[in-house]
Amino acid sequence: MDKMLYLAMNGAKHVEWQQATTTNNLANVHTNGFKADLVSFRALPVVGDGAPTRVYQVDNTVGHDLSQGALQQTGNDFDFALTTPGFFAVQLPDGTEAYTRDGGFELDATGTMRTRSGLAIVGEAGPLQVPEGSKVDVRQDGSVYAVPANGGQAQEVGRIKLVNPQQPRDMYKGDDGLFRQSNGEDLAADPAVRVRSGALEGSNVNVVDSLVQMISHAKHYDLNVRLMQTADQDARQATQILTLNS
């Protein structure tokens, strides 16, 4: 009875974790560049006395869905979307690099290109700074040009560092939603990554699939709770029988 109770309790706990992952995906359905987390169950054998067929389940984070999200045309000169696999490189406050698909940028008071959360956009040859009063023109290869407001000649100020990991499974997503390499190293720029101006990439979360998963998780959780209740009832009845026979 104790084993049945433990197995059911363990199953309920891991289903609850999966439900939290699915809920987080749904909460970010309108987050630009968001990539859905992927989780699954795997079975592990129970070692000890009893039937050798006993197994318990644990949730297993298998990575992230890096498929392209829908592109939304905004017409904003500071909105950019990647049309190929890859990431924009950004600089964290501690000086290290991280990677994102969210191309909503802006200029700060010094003319430095930043994400709308305040992180500096990494350029292939240093920080990307645009002269005051200039418009920004970003080409498909990530080259950044400053266009004078008076209509003068455009001047190249740098190129956004665009990266594409050879092994996407080596990337992990932090609590801040930014991607990093598991080995802690910075990725090299990839000239094959392409940018589109005036657009943003939406979340790739499938709302219908996520809702179906939430219903499935809820039913699975309820099944495990009922197993725990059954184990408890069986234990009580066994105790009563032993008491009567003593």
Side-chain angles (χ1 to χ4, degrees), residues 200-219:
L200 288 173
E201 180 185 358
S203 169
N204 69 350
V205 174
N206 187 309
V207 176
V208 175
D209 285 350
S210 296
L211 289 174
V212 171
Q213 289 174 9
M214 291 187 71
I215 295 172
S216 176
H217 296 333
K219 291 182 177 180

Side-chain angles (χ1 to χ4, degrees), residues 167-202:
Q167 298 294 337
R169 64 177 176 269
D170 293 336
M171 304 288 286
Y172 73 94
K173 185 165 60 173
D175 294 336
D176 54 7
L178 299 174
F179 287 85
R180 298 164 176 81
Q181 277 218 108
S182 299
N183 60 13
E185 297 180 359
D186 295 339
L187 290 166
D190 187 341
V193 182
R194 288 292 178 262
V195 181
R196 179 182 297 179
S197 298
L200 288 173
E201 180 185 358

